[in-house]
C-alpha cells in the first residue's frame, strides 16, 4: 500500500504466473484522504458550479411537472453559499430559467429564493431534444471559471426531436467539461439514451418511478455533488515496453469500462507507454475499486518484473501532481500452488461485471421475444448475484423472474412484468457489492511498499 498527500492506493493481486503465462489482473483500491489532505482544489465554494436541467415537454404536465418544480427547489436549497448555479428548461429547445440571461449566479439566501420562485414557474412546452439541453449547459458552464462542474438532468421521455447523431455530438461536446447525473421519471424514457449521457459524463442514471420521489432524489444528488472537492483526477497507468494494458474498469461502487477512454499522457509523463483514464471528481474519504488487466511477455521461472505502475494524478495551474501510486508486479514460477491461486478480489469483480452484462443481455432478449436466451442470461444473473452476495440485485431480479434455484440459476420468466421493474433492474445492473478488505488480505495479496 502507498500513501501520498490526498490518496491511498492498495493493489491486490496474485503476482505469480505459470511458465508461459502472460496475463496479470489486479484490483486497485483508491481512497481519498480527509478534506484537509486534498491538494490544490480544497474546494473553495466558488470552485463549484451546478446546473439543473428539467424536462418541460408536454408529457411532463400534471403531477410530473409539479414534482419537478419541488425537486428543483429542493436541490437549490442544498447548494452551498458561494457556489455558482443555474436552471435550464428543456423541450424542443432549451432556455435559461434562472438566471434568464444565460449566466450563472452565486448561491446565497437571496439567489436561492429567486431560483425557487423561478422553479415554481417552470412552464410546459412541446418536444424533447436532449442534445440541445446539453449544449446550452455547455455554453453556460463556459461562462464561469469553476473547476468542479456538475449537472442534474431530468426527463420523462425519449429524444424524439433530434437525430441520434445530434445527441451523440452534444455528448461529445460536453465530455470532459462537466459531469452529469441523469434521472428518468416514470417509464416512458429510454435507459440506453440516458446511460450514454451518464457514462460519457461520468455520472449516474436511475429511475424515479413515482414523481413523489423526485425531491428526495434531487436533494441526495446535490448533496453528493457538493461533497466533491478535487476535480479531474486521472488514473495513470504506466507499462514497460514488454507489457500493455488489456483493460481498465471501475468496478465499485459501480461498473464503468474506462478502457476506450484512454488519453495519451504528456511526453514528460513517460512516453507512449503511459495512458490516462478519467475518474472525475472526488469527495473526502471516497473510495473506489478499479480492475486493471495487463498483458506481459512471458518470462523465465524466477524472473520478477514490474508489470504496471498505477498513479492518481491531478492537474493544477502549477502543473500535474501525483496523489498516490501503486505497483502491479509479475513473477514466473513452476510452483502450481502459487500460480493457480485465485485472487478473491479479482474473481469477485469479474463475476460482478458478468452479472451486469447478463442482466442487460437478458432484458434485451426478452424485449426481442427470445425467451430461451432471456431465461438463460437472467438465470445466470441470479446465480452470480447469489455468489456475490448482491442482495439488492437479487431482489430486483426476483421481480422479473421466478427463482427456482438461485445457486444453479434455474429460473422461469414471469408472465407479467411491469416496465418499472424492468427499468429499475436495467439502470441498477451496474451497481456492485464491494469485496471486503478481509477477503483481499489473502496470503498472496501484494502490498506495494516498493518494488
Amino acid at each position: 500500500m502507498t500513501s501520498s498527500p490526498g490518496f491511498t492506493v492498495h493493489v491486490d493481486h496474485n503476482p505469480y504466473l505459470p511458465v508461459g503465462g502472460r496475463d496479470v489482473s489486479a484490483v486497485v483500491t483508491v481512497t481519498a484522504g480527509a478534506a484537509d489532505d486534498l491538494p490544490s482544489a480544497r474546494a473553495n465554494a466558488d470552485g463549484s458550479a451546478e446546473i439543473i436541467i428539467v424536462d418541460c415537454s408536454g408529457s411532463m404536465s400534471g403531477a410530473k411537472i409539479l414534482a419537478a418544480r419541488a425537486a428543483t427547489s429542493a436541490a437549490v436549497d442544498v447548494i452551498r453559499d458561494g457556489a455558482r448555479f443555474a436552471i435550464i428548461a428543456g423541450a424542443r429547445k432549451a432556455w435559461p430559467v434562472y438566471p434568464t440571461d444565460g449566466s450563472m449566479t452565486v448561491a446565497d439566501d437571496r439567489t436561492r429564493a429567486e431560483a425557487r420562485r423561478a422553479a415554481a414557474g417552470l412552464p410546459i412546452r412541446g418536444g424533447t431534444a436532449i442534445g440541445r439541453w446539453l449544449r446550452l449547459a455547455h455554453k453556460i458552464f463556459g461562462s464561469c471559471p469553476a473547476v468542479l462542474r456538475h449537472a442534474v438532468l431530468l426527463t420523462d421521455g425519449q429524444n424524439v426531436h433530434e437525430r441520434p447523431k445530434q445527441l451523440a455530438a452534444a455528448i461529445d461536446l460536453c465530455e470532459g467539461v462537466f459531469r452529469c447525473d441523469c434521472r428518468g421519471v416514470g417509464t416512458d424514457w429510454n435507459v440506453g439514451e440516458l446511460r450514454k449521457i451518464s457514462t460519457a459524463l461520468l455520472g449516474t442514471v436511475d429511475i424515479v418511478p413515482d414523481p413523489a420521489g423526485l425531491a428526495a432524489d434531487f436533494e441526495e444528488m446535490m448533496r453528493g455533488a457538493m461533497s466533491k472537492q478535487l476535480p479531474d483526477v486521472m488514473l495513470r497507468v504506466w507499462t514497460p515496453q514488454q507489457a500493455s494494458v488489456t483493460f481498465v474498469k471501475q468496478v465499485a461502487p459501480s461498473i464503468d469500462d474506462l478502457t476506450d477512454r484512454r488519453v495519451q499522457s504528456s511526453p514528460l509523463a513517460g512516453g507512449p507507454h503511459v495512458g490516462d483514464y478519467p475518474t472525475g471528481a472526488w469527495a473526502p474519504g471516497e473510495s473506489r475499486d478499479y480492475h486493471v488487466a495487463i498483458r506481459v511477455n512471458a518470462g523465465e521461472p524466477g524472473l520478477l518484473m514490474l508489470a504496471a505502475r498505477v498513479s492518481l494524478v491531478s492537474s493544477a495551474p502549477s502543473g500535474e501532481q501525483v496523489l498516490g501510486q501503486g505497483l502491479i508486479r509479475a513473477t514466473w514460477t513452476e510452483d502450481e500452488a502459487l500460480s493457480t491461486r485465485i485472487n478473491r478480489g479479482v474473481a469477485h469483480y469479474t463475476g460482478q461485471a458478468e452479472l451486469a452484462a447478463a442482466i442487460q443481455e437478458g432484458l434485451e432478449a426478452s424485449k426481442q421475444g427470445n425467451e430461451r436466451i432471456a431465461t438463460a442470461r437472467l438465470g445466470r444473473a441470479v446465480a452470480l448475484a447469489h455468489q456475490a452476495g448482491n442482495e439488492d440485485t437479487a431482489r430486483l431480479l426476483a421481480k422479473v423472474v421466478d427463482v427456482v434455484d438461485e445457486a444453479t440459476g434455474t429460473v422461469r420468466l414471469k408472465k407479467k412484468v411491469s416496465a418499472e421493474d424492468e427499468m429499475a433492474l436495467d439502470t441498477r445492473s451496474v451497481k456492485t457489492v464491494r469485496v471486503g478488505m478481509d477477503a483481499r488480505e489473502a496470503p498472496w495479496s501484494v502490498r506495494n511498499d516498493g518494488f
Side-chain angles (χ1 to χ4, degrees):
M1 180 185 294
T2 62
S3 297
S4 295
F7 283 85
T8 297
V9 179
H10 178 280
V11 176
D12 180 28
H13 73 309
N14 179 7
Y16 295 103
L17 298 180
V19 175
R22 299 187 60 194
D23 295 313
V24 185
S25 281
V27 173
V28 181
T29 298
V30 180
T31 305
D36 292 342
D37 294 331
L38 293 180
S40 64
R42 292 185 174 108
N44 302 319
D46 62 4
S48 298
E50 296 288 334
I51 295 180
I52 303 168
I53 307 170
V54 181
D55 186 344
C56 291
S57 61
S59 59
M60 284 286 292
S61 61
K64 290 179 184 177
I65 194 62
L66 292 175
R69 291 166 180 165
T72 302
S73 293
V76 165
D77 283 342
V78 176
I79 299 174
R80 61 173 174 257
D81 286 351
R84 293 171 172 84
F85 75 99
I87 302 171
I88 290 175
R92 189 184 291 263
K93 296 182 178 180
W95 66 97
V97 171
Y98 184 81
T100 56
D101 63 356
S103 65
M104 302 196 83
T105 192
V106 176
D108 57 27
D109 289 342
R110 176 185 62 82
T111 57
R112 281 191 291 264
E114 291 175 352
R116 287 194 296 270
R117 287 194 291 272
L122 282 169
I124 289 294
R125 298 182 184 176
T128 302
I130 298 174
R132 294 175 184 173
W133 312 355
L134 293 173
R135 286 181 180 277
L136 179 56
H138 178 273
K139 180 179 179 181
I140 293 175
F141 274 126
S143 71
C144 80
V147 291
L148 284 160
R149 300 173 176 181
H150 172 258
V152 172
L153 186 153
L154 172 71
T155 187
D156 78 328
Q158 301 181 28
N159 196 52
V160 295
H161 289 106
E162 62 183 0
R163 294 186 297 276
K165 67 178 183 181
Q166 292 175 298
L167 175 58
I171 295 171
D172 289 344
L173 176 69
C174 299
E175 187 171 353
V177 177
F178 63 92
R179 296 179 298 113
C180 187
D181 289 318
C182 300
R183 293 296 182 267
V185 61
T187 58
D188 293 329
W189 53 284
N190 185 292
V191 175
E193 280 183 348
L194 291 197
R195 180 172 281 141
K196 287 178 182 177
I197 298 170
S198 64
T199 298
L201 305 188
L202 299 175
T204 61
V205 60
D206 206 351
I207 182 174
V208 184
D210 186 345
L214 279 176
D217 193 72
F218 268 45
E219 182 177 341
E220 181 181 2
M221 280 191 290
M222 193 59 72
R223 289 192 188 281
M226 289 289 99
S227 73
K228 305 296 184 184
Q229 292 196 12
L230 189 65
D232 301 329
V233 177
M234 307 296 289
L235 189 75
R236 176 168 292 171
V237 181
W238 169 91
T239 56
Q241 289 187 351
Q242 62 269 38
S244 60
V245 176
T246 303
F247 64 76
V248 175
K249 299 178 183 179
Q250 178 185 290
V251 288
S254 61
I255 297 171
D256 187 4
D257 193 342
L258 304 177
T259 309
D260 292 337
R261 305 185 68 179
R262 180 183 187 274
V263 175
Q264 183 64 47
S265 302
S266 65
L268 295 178
H273 291 276
V274 184
D276 291 342
Y277 302 84
T279 70
W282 289 71
E286 185 174 0
S287 184
R288 306 178 196 172
D289 290 345
Y290 296 88
H291 187 178
V292 179
I294 305 295
R295 172 153 285 197
V296 298
N297 291 342
E300 296 297 323
L303 177 66
L304 170 67
M305 73 171 287
L306 178 60
R309 180 184 296 113
V310 180
S311 307
L312 272 293
V313 180
S314 177
S315 297
S318 57
E320 292 183 344
Q321 185 173 9
V322 177
L323 308 174
Q325 191 173 95
L327 306 178
I328 299 175
R329 293 177 282 188
T331 185
W332 284 265
T333 179
E334 295 177 320
D335 186 342
E336 291 187 6
L338 291 176
S339 64
T340 58
R341 284 174 173 170
I342 296 174
N343 180 275
R344 284 174 281 181
V346 171
H348 174 83
Y349 286 123
T350 299
Q352 296 271 285
E354 185 186 352
L355 169 60
I359 289 172
Q360 293 171 26
E361 291 165 5
L363 290 175
E364 182 59 30
S366 180
K367 291 177 184 176
Q368 300 298 325
N370 192 326
E371 292 189 8
R372 182 181 62 83
I373 292 180
T375 301
R377 299 308 291 145
L378 293 174
R380 177 60 177 160
V382 166
L384 289 166
H386 172 67
Q387 293 168 14
N390 194 330
E391 296 178 359
D392 289 340
T393 299
R395 281 192 290 268
L396 292 170
L397 281 162
K399 295 181 179 180
V400 175
V401 297
D402 290 318
V403 180
V404 178
D405 186 335
E406 61 183 358
T408 62
T410 305
V411 304
R412 290 189 297 266
L413 298 182
K414 287 184 179 292
K415 295 297 183 183
K416 291 185 178 180
V417 178
S418 71
E420 174 187 324
D421 288 337
E422 283 190 344
M423 294 174 76
L425 177 60
D426 193 355
T427 57
R428 298 166 191 169
S429 61
V430 297
K431 294 184 179 180
T432 58
V433 173
R434 298 192 79 174
V435 62
M437 287 302 295
D438 56 340
R440 303 184 211 187
E441 295 300 327
W444 55 90
S445 177
V446 174
R447 304 177 68 86
N448 284 295
D449 299 315
F451 181 68

